[in-house]
Amino acid sequence: MRADRPYDLVLFGATGFTGGLTAEYLARHAPDRLRWALAGRNPDKLAAVRERLAAIDPALADLPLLTADVTDPASLRAVAESARVVATTVGPYVHHGEPLVAACAAAGTDYLDITGEPEFVDRMYVRHHAEAVRTGARLVHACGFDSIPHDLGVWYTVRQLPADGPIAVDGYVRAGGRFSAGTYHSALTAFSRTGEMSRAARARRAMEPGPDGRRVRAVPGKVGRVREFGQWAVPLPTIDPQVVRRSAAARPEYGPDFRYRHFAAMKRLPTVLVAGVGLAGVVGLVKVAPTRRWLLGRLASGQGPTAEQRAKSWFQVRFVGTGGGWRVVTEVAGGDPGYDETAKMLAESALCLAFDDLPETSGQVTPVAAMGDTLLDRLVRAGITFRTLSA
């Protein structure tokens, strides 16, 4: 249905910081046969991005530029109808994301983003999943640090355990580096909309079918010491457990009874206490409009650290999985999570949807459900580590 469209991939939001890094990654690593374009609302800024890409690969001097704005549905419809895959870095998604999701769902165009906003993902399921199923579009959210390492890391872990009995996995996240401006703004937006987030989750639960004859859960853990790692584990209230749970619901490899818990791993107890108090304070402050505006102004979208600063950043996620008498410890690790690796994950996900032989899926699907081992293999070749520490 989409083979005759002019572009395999359109990158929307290429003038932003993470969008620009994604464009540069594609310029360095995309196959020559990729037909792609940049899209955004400012033609002059798009042209400046293209100049940077042409310095990487002179063949990109004529890369097509598409003018589109989230406030102009017709422009988004034109982008969606011109492409097989659209990837977007324009957030916070709860404010700016839905028009492009709607356009892609209607056009039968595969859609990817890097959101970590549960409210947005749940609302997009309620409003656009059925249309995407009808048209054959795959809507794949959370294709950056939220939630590729966690979703694929649990998938990598459970495939080393017997699938004929209960399986339990705990994930422990450590990272060094700055949050991206987009992640910062999205997090503050989510903290200020807890009521809306709860209502969106209830609306989704009311219409989403559960796994047939299987039980799948993502449950909060408790603060505690993990002697094996020499660290403190603190429950991490991100979108990642929800993504893992939905992958488990979609795939029988997770067994008849699956449970996941998600933690931040910290070396010192005082750090745990300070982080908890700080998070509680931020949640309270963002619910008041003046302080929310002040906090949002501390880090402007489009800003980010230098290449030298990013080179010092890293992430490491360890998983402990048990099932069928087996216990396995695995690790997913890489470089700068908020920028470089997020750009890599989004770009490789887009190339995966555009070119690889994948399972037949449609509607809102997780990275594992849509791409599974194929994306995992791509990321390993791109330098992200998946390894088994003990079994």
Side-chain angles (χ1 to χ4, degrees), residues 53-294:
L53 302 185
I56 298 170
D57 180 357
L60 297 176
D62 296 321
L63 186 69
L65 307 178
L66 310 177
T67 303
D69 192 290
V70 296
T71 63
D72 181 0
S75 69
L76 298 180
R77 187 166 57 249
V79 167
E81 291 175 350
S82 70
R84 297 170 54 227
V85 179
V86 173
T88 174
T89 60
V90 179
Y93 291 88
V94 74
H95 294 318
H96 306 305
E98 183 171 5
L100 185 57
V101 175
C104 289
T109 302
D110 291 339
Y111 164 96
L112 304 104
D113 64 33
I114 53 173
T115 188
E117 303 164 48
E119 178 192 350
F120 172 72
V121 174
D122 288 343
R123 291 201 187 284
M124 295 309 95
Y125 180 90
V126 170
R127 295 173 180 173
H128 303 292
H129 170 74
E131 176 68 359
V133 170
R134 185 188 71 80
T135 64
R138 294 170 288 193
L139 310 179
V140 193
H141 303 284
C143 290
F145 185 64
D146 288 327
S147 295
I148 292 280
H150 316 98
D151 195 28
L152 285 175
V154 174
W155 167 248
Y156 175 81
T157 304
V158 300
R159 286 192 300 114
Q160 301 181 52
L161 297 167
D164 57 356
I167 292 176
V169 179
D170 292 336
Y172 302 92
V173 184
R174 294 184 63 220
R178 283 177 51 187
F179 287 111
S180 71
T183 298
Y184 175 76
H185 280 239
S186 292
L188 292 184
T189 299
F191 292 154
S192 71
R193 297 175 60 89
T194 52
E196 293 91 338
M197 186 164 58
S198 296
R199 287 191 288 274
R202 286 196 300 270
R204 178 171 185 159
R205 285 195 299 269
M207 65 181 294
E208 184 176 24
D212 221 4
R214 300 168 55 231
R215 184 165 75 148
V216 171
R217 296 163 293 149
V219 301
K222 297 180 180 180
V223 175
R225 181 78 171 169
V226 185
R227 288 191 174 89
E228 179 178 15
F229 301 148
Q231 295 167 350
W232 288 88
V234 183
L236 193 57
T238 61
I239 196 174
D240 307 304
Q242 299 174 34
V243 175
V244 169
R245 176 172 56 80
R246 287 166 187 147
S247 292
R251 301 293 296 255
E253 291 89 344
Y254 292 76
D257 187 346
F258 174 79
R259 187 270 294 154
Y260 180 65
R261 298 185 301 183
H262 195 58
F263 300 93
M266 301 180 182
K267 290 186 176 180
R268 300 173 61 247
L269 182 58
T271 305
V272 173
L273 299 176
V274 170
V277 171
L279 179 61
V282 170
V283 171
L285 289 172
V286 297
K287 292 187 178 295
V288 181
T291 53
R292 182 170 64 250
R293 288 193 294 269
W294 182 85

